[in-house]
Amino acid sequence: MTAGETITTAAYRLTPEEAINFARQFDPQPIHLDEASAANGFFGVITASGWHALALTMRMVVNAHPFGDHPLIGAELSRIRFSRPILPEMELVVRITFDSIEKGGGRHAYNILVVETVDAASGEMLIHQRWRMLRTSD
């Protein structure tokens, strides 16, 4: 990837079963587990865990191979911003924009990526974040 280049991943549909199973294991809040409880909650509907959405984002980026055969080795995630809730049955895509190369203090450099998880149907951004990835190629 070159600075300013953007790629979009393949779409992924989040199923209610996946969302509930993830929540049971890692984020067992009523808004993620039970429709009746969620109806009385902040959003009024059952929502997927933000942690689940972040894990799915990583999976979709890995599958897109933005650096070819070179691994994605994370050094920092920052500026994570959730714009709206992620609903089960939503189809997601991820936009990956190569921002820059940052020189490290030692022998390493870093690829700076802007990563946005998007509702494929509406194009609306759901999660925005900045990734600082160890640069493993020249």
Side-chain angles (χ1 to χ4, degrees):
M1 295 181 74
T2 58
E5 183 180 353
T6 297
I7 62 172
T8 302
T9 68
Y12 183 88
R13 182 169 300 282
L14 176 61
T15 69
E17 296 78 24
E18 285 178 286
I20 290 169
N21 288 337
F22 182 95
R24 276 191 191 117
Q25 205 169 8
F26 301 107
D27 191 0
Q29 299 185 73
I31 61 171
H32 304 316
L33 295 171
D34 177 69
E35 293 207 26
S37 295
N40 296 317
F42 186 78
F43 297 112
V45 296
I46 197 165
T47 61
S49 166
W51 296 112
H52 189 189
L54 291 170
L56 287 172
T57 298
M58 182 65 187
R59 174 63 183 259
M60 292 169 23
V61 172
V62 167
N63 288 347
H65 302 283
F67 302 124
D69 291 336
H70 297 278
L72 293 167
I73 302 172
E76 177 182 7
L77 255 60
S78 62
R79 302 180 194 160
I80 299 171
R81 184 177 62 242
F82 295 92
S83 299
R84 60 178 273 232
I86 290 128
L87 306 176
E89 292 297 339
M90 204 172 252
E91 189 169 61
L92 307 172
V93 295
V94 178
R95 283 192 303 249
I96 308 152
T97 302
F98 184 70
D99 185 60
S100 60
I101 297 171
E102 182 181 283
K103 298 297 180 195
R107 61 186 176 122
H108 299 296
Y110 301 91
N111 293 308
I112 307 302
L113 304 176
V114 174
V115 179
E116 298 172 321
T117 308
V118 175
D119 177 353
S122 70
E124 187 174 358
M125 183 180 49
L126 304 169
I127 308 170
H128 175 91
Q129 53 193 305
R130 180 181 181 270
W131 290 10
R132 188 172 179 245
M133 309 299 285
L134 186 64
R135 190 166 173 82
T136 59
S137 66
D138 290 334

